[in-house]
Amino acid sequence: MNAIAATDPMNKRLYYRKYTVFIIVFFLVISVLTALIIIPAFNGLIASEHSKKIIEKLQLEAQLFTNYIESQKSILVDFARFPSITNSAMLSDGSDPQLIDLIDNVVIGGEKGRVVLQDITGEVFIRSTVHLQGSYATDSEWVKQLVNGDQPYHFQLLSQENDDLTYKLSVPVLYNDFIEGVLSAEITVPLTDLFIAQTYEHVAFMLVQGDTTVSSERRHIEIAREDTQHLKDSNLTFVYITDDAILRDKKR
């Protein structure tokens, strides 16, 4: 009886020891599976959902930018329909006093206009007296495209000074649906007016056209991720810059 009683605590200790070892092994297996399979799969799901949201935002911001350019184009098209502009374009004559007064006093983009009027050969016959940054050579390919009706408008990045972007927007001058010349305007606008989402954290924007690059403030971004979309009519690349530090923190 005593021998049986003595072995009973030993059996219990052995049972608890086996049970403890089983629990430890179980949690080790779960930890290994979690580290090797579950966490990577979960992180992959987070990364996939994060990328999906970024692409959706990229498309939205690119469309908002396109809408802005379209609105400015509509303003310039309406301006190009003034009789003094269409008549002067058809005659390649910049001596009309009404046209001179119009060019000197027009306001585009909230500032005194910087305007250039060319005939169908690309010859400049009237321009604003203020400094112009763009090139208006008669043999410019963009002039030919507008005159031939190959493009609805021409958009060109010119420069960036601090938070201000200057660009050139050109449209055909129409008379009875016939193209009679080209009207261009150089417009300066704050980047914050273009990219409303810049007021949010972890977001920046960049526009790339040939050798010219314009970008909003990005010092607040820790790990930059760039997603791009080409805008055909504007002939530029729209870059949506986000901070992958957000994704890193989610994974943690």
Side-chain angles (χ1 to χ4, degrees):
M1 292 292 293
N2 291 335
I4 294 175
T7 57
D8 188 54
M10 293 180 59
N11 290 335
K12 287 184 177 181
R13 284 197 298 271
L14 182 61
Y15 171 78
Y16 287 131
R17 186 179 301 167
K18 289 181 180 180
Y19 182 77
T20 301
V21 171
F22 172 78
I23 294 297
I24 292 172
V25 171
F26 174 78
F27 278 107
L28 285 175
V29 171
I30 293 298
S31 298
V32 171
L33 290 176
T34 301
L36 297 180
I37 300 176
I38 298 175
I39 290 179
F42 187 65
N43 284 344
L45 182 63
I46 291 176
S48 176
E49 187 65 23
H50 183 71
S51 295
K52 180 181 177 181
K53 289 182 178 178
I54 287 178
I55 296 302
E56 290 175 350
K57 290 181 179 179
L58 163 66
Q59 294 172 345
L60 174 61
E61 294 292 343
Q63 186 58 53
L64 290 174
F65 176 79
T66 300
N67 292 346
Y68 166 79
I69 298 301
E70 287 288 342
S71 68
Q72 296 302 302
K73 183 202 77 170
S74 298
I75 294 172
L76 199 58
V77 166
D78 290 341
F79 181 56
R81 290 174 178 159
F82 275 70
S84 57
I85 290 180
T86 55
N87 292 337
S88 296
M90 287 187 289
L91 299 173
S92 299
D93 180 17
S95 62
D96 183 354
Q98 287 186 340
L99 176 62
I100 296 173
D101 183 66
L102 184 63
I103 295 298
D104 285 342
N105 294 286
V106 65
V107 175
I108 298 177
E111 296 183 1
K112 187 173 182 179
R114 289 159 286 170
V115 181
V116 176
L117 191 55
Q118 298 167 267
D119 60 21
I120 56 174
T121 68
E123 188 71 33
V124 175
F125 60 90
I126 192 167
R127 60 193 295 165
S128 300
T129 56
V130 295
H131 173 68
L132 296 168
Q133 297 183 32
S135 172
Y136 301 92
T138 56
D139 58 350
S140 298
E141 185 64 28
W142 63 269
V143 174
K144 297 177 183 177
Q145 291 176 342
L146 288 177
V147 170
N148 294 333
D150 297 331
Q151 293 289 340
Y153 64 89
H154 170 70
F155 177 89
Q156 181 184 355
L157 296 175
L158 294 177
S159 65
Q160 178 180 4
E161 184 174 353
N162 298 322
D163 292 329
D164 290 336
L165 161 67
T166 299
Y167 63 89
K168 179 178 72 176
L169 190 61
S170 306
V171 298
V173 177
L174 299 176
Y175 182 76
N176 289 337
D177 294 330
F178 290 99
I179 298 174
E180 300 294 348
V182 175
L183 178 67
S184 301
E186 295 187 6
I187 303 170
T188 299
V189 60
L191 290 173
T192 50
D193 287 358
L194 289 179
F195 308 122
I196 305 302
Q198 181 62 19
T199 56
Y200 305 135
E201 293 185 41
H202 308 294
V203 175
F205 301 89
M206 186 162 60
L207 303 175
V208 181
Q209 188 180 56
D211 297 330
T212 306
T213 299
V214 171
S215 61
S216 63
E217 179 58 58
R218 55 187 293 177
R219 285 182 298 179
H220 57 289
I221 293 180
E222 183 180 349
I223 306 174
R225 164 180 169 154
E226 297 183 358
D227 292 271
T228 63
Q229 182 172 329
H230 181 71
L231 306 182
K232 182 180 178 182
D233 288 339
S234 301
N235 190 30
L236 58 78
T237 300
F238 184 93
V239 185
Y240 184 61
I241 306 170
T242 52
D243 195 346
D244 264 358
I246 297 175
L247 179 61
R248 178 200 60 194
D249 294 341
K250 286 182 179 179
K251 289 182 177 180
R252 283 180 177 176

